[in-house]
Amino acid sequence: MMKQPNTQTLMQWDRQYLWHPFTPMKAWMEKADPPIIERGQDEFLFDTQGRKYIDGVSSLWCNVHGHHIPELDQAVRDQLDKIAHSTLLGLCNVPSIMLAKRLVDMAPAGLSRVFYSDNGSTAVEVACKLAYQYWANLGQPEKSRFISLRDAYHGDTLGAVSVGGIPAFHQVYEPLCFPVDRVAPPLLRPFAGPDAAIAPAQSLTSHAGNLLWQQNIEDLLAQSPGRYAAVILEPLIQGAGGMLMHPPGTLRTLRQLADKHNVLLICDEVMTGFGRTGKMFACDHERVTPDLLCLSKGLTAGYMPLGATLATDKIFDAFYADPREGKTFFHGHTFTGHPLACAVALASLDLMDTRRTLEHAGHLATVMATGLEPLRDHPHVGDIRQLGLVAAVDIVPNRQSGSRFDYHWRIGGELCTLMRQQGLLLRPLADTLVLMPPLASKPQSVQRMTEIVVESVRNVKCVIDQKQELPKP
Ligand SMILES: *Cc1c(COP(=O)(O)O)cnc(C)c1O
């Protein structure tokens, strides 16, 4: 292999040859000065210059046990010693079979089949196509439309963009998307203190906002019986839309509405799955079984790309027919059920059991909530919310007025740049700071992380003052 060039050359090549995801490349080329990550150890990342950072967003919401974990590395090596990849089209492979059984055993009761794909977006594509074809196969093709929540994020492929809808990212593609009915999400849940971080469903009461949301969906379903295929949502937390958290009971209510009006329920747990919210799946908080469940990110502990869409017998049976009936699900990717990815997923689930990762994460959630307490009454903090090991801090011009900063000020981004100098890597969602460390982090790392966040928010006024001195673009 080519010898690794020095940091300066790497950065120059990055600017010359790469096109980064979700990135305004002009600004990137002109001023970005990101670290080049070279290695990782547990919850830490190290750049080419040897600087150490806490991986405060689990390498984009997917890492579970930390980096460079011997058991996980070994699982990949063991599989490499047998075979890296073979296809699931017309053949089987060992790890994909074992993982499918494991997922069915642990998923909400009733989910009985696993359809693999490559990532979160494709897991959602598969769910949407299955829901649509389910009704077609039952002879009700007019049940074809989807209901989704505003500010939902389901991925970046066009089907996922159709049911998702973060205007800043996706508006431009609207003409390419299929039409979807969008309903305003339930109101945010206010921060309820350290206890709520572990068992929010028991310790909080529902919002009035829940009722309006419910009414909107009920109206759509009642006005057009026979029109809808499915309702799709991210249960409990809408991630990329701003870590919007639903009041307890929302998911359960939605399950009941879907049953009453005979539509399917699709839960996109790409982010919330595998312990992030304090239970293995967000659905477990409300003992809900969706008809289709989308998984990715934490599925492989953040080691490898892999998606899975789980379905109930009811869905599977609608496709189970003589080939001549034309009910087959004709969908598949080259790397569907990739053996290396499935092998590391299995090893990760073993580790979650033996190390009691969920229990540990519950303890960390308390550390995180306690650490963020000092921000609760801060004049520039609009809201803090947390569920499990997911916390969001909204930075606002003024706590009372409810207004927002000029988007171009990038207050969230500026704060994260400052925190990076303190050894913490975070990626904000606009002006919302997101804290989502690996579930296996050490308590003192989570503690340190909250200290850096609290400190940087205390300095937010300096960042604002700098912005105010700049001329308007
Ligand atoms: C990240 C994410 C996706 C998309 O997953 P990719 O692997 O990035 O395609 C879909 N849904 C949710 C809820 C996500 O957080």
Side-chain angles (χ1 to χ4, degrees):
M1 207 170 86
M2 176 167 63
K3 187 174 168 299
Q4 181 174 311
N6 65 24
T7 298
Q8 202 189 345
T9 310
L10 284 169
M11 194 39 78
Q12 190 204 321
W13 287 0
D14 181 280
R15 284 173 195 207
Q16 194 171 348
Y17 298 114
L18 259 78
W19 190 334
H20 282 263
F22 275 99
T23 304
M25 286 304 289
K26 183 167 189 287
W28 177 269
M29 309 265 288
E30 285 170 1
K31 21 179 215 273
D33 184 24
I36 302 176
I37 300 303
E38 188 175 46
R39 62 188 188 88
Q41 187 61 56
D42 304 329
E43 65 271 42
F44 303 104
L45 296 168
F46 297 83
D47 69 13
T48 45
Q49 292 170 301
R51 285 177 301 209
K52 178 181 178 182
Y53 307 92
I54 299 174
D55 184 358
V57 286
S58 295
S59 291
L60 247 145
W61 316 349
C62 61
N63 191 286
V64 175
H65 302 286
H67 301 275
H68 198 206
I69 303 304
E71 291 87 342
L72 301 184
D73 296 359
Q74 195 56 43
V76 178
R77 283 193 204 101
D78 289 348
Q79 183 58 39
L80 267 179
D81 282 340
K82 295 172 187 152
I83 186 170
H85 171 67
S86 68
T87 181
L88 279 198
L89 279 75
L91 294 174
C92 313
N93 73 55
V94 179
S96 72
I97 297 171
M98 291 174 64
L99 180 60
K101 176 175 183 343
R102 187 84 180 251
L103 289 174
V104 166
D105 287 346
M106 68 192 280
L111 291 161
S112 54
R113 287 276 166 179
V114 177
F115 192 99
Y116 289 114
S117 60
D118 298 344
N119 54 61
S121 305
T122 53
V124 170
E125 294 286 332
V126 166
C128 291
K129 285 175 76 176
L130 283 175
Y132 178 89
Q133 193 178 344
Y134 169 80
W135 294 110
N137 283 358
L138 292 188
Q140 294 175 263
E142 66 289 348
K143 283 179 77 97
S144 60
R145 211 170 155 104
F146 292 84
I147 296 176
S148 73
L149 299 184
R150 252 180 243 142
D151 294 318
Y153 178 76
H154 295 295
D156 287 331
T157 55
L158 283 172
V161 168
S162 299
V163 289
I166 297 178
F169 304 156
H170 295 137
Q171 204 146 33
V172 62
Y173 309 111
E174 208 175 291
L176 297 180
C177 293
F178 56 79
V180 168
D181 289 310
R182 293 198 169 80
V183 172
L187 289 185
L188 309 187
R189 180 175 68 74
F191 188 57
D195 297 337
I198 315 159
Q202 287 96 54
S203 55
L204 292 169
T205 51
S206 286
H207 267 254
N210 200 16
L211 302 175
L212 178 64
W213 163 86
Q214 193 177 322
Q215 194 58 52
N216 287 343
I217 289 207
E218 181 117 50
D219 287 349
L220 283 176
L221 291 170
Q223 277 158 18
S224 313
R227 183 171 202 225
Y228 292 101
V231 178
I232 178 168
L233 85 161
E234 299 153 87
L236 275 66
I237 310 179
Q238 295 183 218
M243 294 302 155
L244 311 177
M245 297 187 187
H246 299 162
T250 300
L251 181 62
R252 177 98 50 92
T253 303
L254 196 43
R255 176 71 271 183
Q256 287 159 358
L257 281 180
D259 287 341
K260 180 172 162 202
H261 294 275
N262 196 23
V263 302
L264 302 177
L265 178 67
I266 304 174
C267 284
D268 174 357
E269 291 227 32
V270 168
M271 186 276 280
T272 52
F274 301 96
R276 208 59 71 175
T277 67
K279 293 193 185 279
M280 190 53 89
F281 300 108
C283 287
D284 295 338
H285 284 276
E286 306 203 354
R287 292 196 201 86
V288 160
T289 300
D291 300 282
L292 292 155
L293 175 69
C294 308
L295 302 174
S296 187
K297 291 199 168 109
L299 170 58
T300 61
Y303 258 56
M304 299 250 178
L306 181 67
T309 307
L310 274 62
T312 57
D313 279 347
K314 171 173 124 174
I315 303 285
F316 184 74
D317 290 347
F319 292 76
Y320 193 78
D322 187 284
R324 281 168 298 190
E325 290 183 55
K327 293 183 174 176
T328 306
F329 186 49
F330 286 113
H331 183 111
H333 302 279
T334 304
F335 291 118
T336 289
H338 199 283
L340 289 174
C342 292
V344 78
L346 280 165
S348 167
L349 294 175
D350 281 345
L351 273 192
M352 286 187 96
D353 281 348
T354 54
R355 295 197 179 159
R356 299 153 91 78
T357 304
L358 288 185
E359 219 170 282
H360 177 76
H363 174 52
L364 292 185
T366 312
V367 173
M368 189 149 89
T370 309
L372 290 175
E373 276 277 308
L375 292 182
R376 273 177 90 169
D377 302 317
H378 192 281
H380 287 298
V381 172
D383 183 33
I384 305 182
R385 45 194 182 279
Q386 183 183 343
L387 178 60
L389 266 189
V390 180
V393 181
D394 296 335
I395 308 298
V396 295
N398 178 322
R399 189 184 180 85
Q400 262 75 47
S401 74
S403 58
R404 304 217 139 217
F405 289 113
D406 181 341
Y407 177 78
H408 299 283
W409 281 13
R410 293 189 62 257
I411 297 290
E414 296 279 347
L415 285 178
C416 289
T417 305
L418 290 177
M419 289 191 261
R420 187 199 296 165
Q421 289 154 15
Q422 305 297 313
L424 171 63
L425 287 177
L426 290 187
R427 185 173 165 85
L429 295 164
D431 294 330
T432 297
L433 305 177
V434 176
L435 290 78
M436 210 191 290
L439 304 190
S441 301
K442 287 174 272 301
Q444 53 270 38
S445 301
V446 173
Q447 167 83 34
R448 178 74 197 125
M449 181 172 165
T450 58
E451 284 163 12
I452 295 172
V453 171
V454 169
E455 182 63 26
S456 85
V457 173
R458 285 198 176 124
N459 288 327
V460 71
K461 202 168 169 316
C462 306
V463 179
I464 298 168
D465 289 347
Q466 275 167 19
K467 295 290 174 186
Q468 273 164 343
E469 281 160 21
L470 293 176
K472 291 257 173 217

